[in-house]
Amino acid sequence: MTHQPTQSPQFFLTAPSPCPYLEGEFERKVFTHLVGDKAPQLNDLLTQGGFRRSQNIAYRPACETCRACVSVRILAQEFQPTKNMRKVQMANADLVGAIHDAEPSTEQYSLFRTYLDARHRRGGMSDMTVLDYAMMVEDTHVETKIIEYRRRGPDTFLTGKGEGELIAVALTDRMGDGLSMVYSFYKPEMDERSLGTFMILDHIARARQQGLAHVYLGYWVEGSRKMAYKVRFQPQEHLGPKGWERFAAKPQV
């Protein structure tokens, strides 16, 4: 009997499937499992190499004819909000994010379901059940937290928690060099709050407070309207053939 070494991760390649971002293109992914005691260190290494985490899987695009997906990370310690971002912060000054262990709740799933039905009815996650959601949250071997955003209450300064209805949620990994935003969702009827932008700004503030250099936003595809918001958070770095390099976007107001 031969024994396979267990110290190094094994990588696998998916079959081609239609690209969700670029019409007419097909995507493939290379992936490996994030399990065991070494999962946090492996997740750090792979994330810095352009991988993303989904449950206990780390993956990155490996498309044969396209290199449009670019890994993005914000330089948190140098970040300065734009005028519009400061307005978003003021509009959400009544919200507070409380950190919890990565444990799902029926309240979270209800908000998640409402968000998917309003924003991603035809997306790949549109048919996720409550059990699927629980796996998305719980199936992690790295340091993962749930941040729940609610309105501030009279005792928030003591409890560190908000009160009332759940308005937004972020599933976040803490790594050695930053925070990685795995997935976030919010009340879709509160468009005027720009809650997606607010949660990114909140993660930048948390990274700064913790002395972490980066906030990882996943992939950006130039020309994709779904991902255009990611380059608004400057300064940031993009992962290219020469490694992580600063990316200069058009000035924002």
Side-chain angles (χ1 to χ4, degrees), residues 19 24 31 45 53 81 83 94 108 123 132 140 160 187 195-196 198 214-215 219 226 233 235 240 247 252:
C19 176
F31 69 94
L45 181 64
R53 185 183 72 82
K83 181 179 179 180
D94 61 331
Q108 291 169 17
D132 294 328
T140 174
K187 291 182 76 68
L195 289 165
F198 169 70
H214 307 116
V215 173
Y219 301 116
K226 294 180 181 179
F233 298 87
F247 173 81
Q252 300 288 326

Side-chain angles (χ1 to χ4, degrees), residues 88-101:
V88 171
Q89 290 173 318
M90 293 178 60
N92 292 284
D94 61 331
L95 300 185
V96 61
I99 300 180
H100 304 276
D101 290 335

Side-chain angles (χ1 to χ4, degrees), residues 8-240:
S8 300
Q10 290 183 302
F11 291 88
F12 307 90
L13 189 64
T14 65
S17 61
C19 176
Y21 304 111
L22 297 177
E23 186 176 352
E25 295 286 348
F26 286 83
E27 68 170 358
R28 301 188 77 177
K29 294 185 176 73
V30 60
F31 69 94
T32 189
H33 296 278
L34 289 171
V35 294
D37 295 339
K38 299 296 184 181
Q41 297 95 314
L42 180 59
N43 187 49
D44 277 22
L45 181 64
L46 292 178
T47 300
Q48 292 162 8
F51 280 71
R52 293 289 286 168
R53 185 183 72 82
S54 177
Q55 297 177 215
N56 66 357
I57 297 291
Y59 68 91
R60 68 166 297 170
C63 307
E64 296 177 358
T65 61
C66 179
R67 296 293 183 269
C69 290
V70 179
S71 295
V72 175
R73 67 185 186 187
I74 302 166
L75 298 174
Q77 300 300 325
E78 300 179 41
F79 173 79
Q80 293 294 329
T82 64
K83 181 179 179 180
N84 282 340
M85 290 175 184
R86 290 194 294 271
K87 289 181 179 179
V88 171
Q89 290 173 318
M90 293 178 60
N92 292 284
D94 61 331
L95 300 185
V96 61
I99 300 180
H100 304 276
D101 290 335
E103 297 176 353
S105 69
T106 54
E107 187 182 23
Q108 291 169 17
Y109 179 71
S110 178
L111 178 59
F112 176 71
R113 188 71 262 166
T114 299
Y115 174 78
L116 288 183
D117 290 344
R119 296 297 181 88
H120 302 287
R121 184 179 295 273
R122 297 181 181 179
M125 303 172 72
S126 60
D127 59 350
M128 285 182 64
T129 67
V130 64
L131 294 179
D132 294 328
Y133 175 76
M135 287 293 291
M136 183 178 79
V137 174
E138 291 180 325
D139 194 3
T140 174
H141 291 250
V142 303
E143 185 178 348
T144 303
K145 297 294 183 181
I146 281 277
I147 306 178
E148 294 187 344
Y149 295 88
R150 304 176 191 267
R151 286 187 172 89
R152 295 179 182 273
D155 296 327
T156 292
F157 70 100
L158 293 175
T159 65
K161 301 178 181 179
E163 294 184 355
E165 65 178 342
L166 185 62
I167 292 175
V169 173
L171 182 65
T172 303
D173 290 345
R174 190 189 191 282
M175 304 185 307
D177 72 329
L179 301 177
S180 178
M181 298 185 69
V182 178
Y183 196 77
S184 60
F185 52 96
Y186 50 85
K187 291 182 76 68
E189 63 268 30
M190 291 185 171
D191 280 341
E192 74 283 354
R193 284 182 174 266
S194 299
L195 289 165
T197 295
F198 169 70
M199 283 190 281
I200 295 175
L201 293 171
D202 182 65
H203 277 70
I204 295 171
R206 292 173 186 272
R208 291 168 70 102
Q209 292 166 3
Q210 297 173 44
L212 299 173
H214 307 116
V215 173
Y216 288 85
L217 294 184
Y219 301 116
W220 170 71
V221 175
E222 187 173 8
S224 170
R225 293 183 62 185
K226 294 180 181 179
M227 297 187 177
Y229 70 92
K230 294 186 179 183
V231 294
R232 295 173 53 229
F233 298 87
Q234 297 287 329
Q236 64 180 234
E237 293 178 328
H238 290 189
L239 183 60

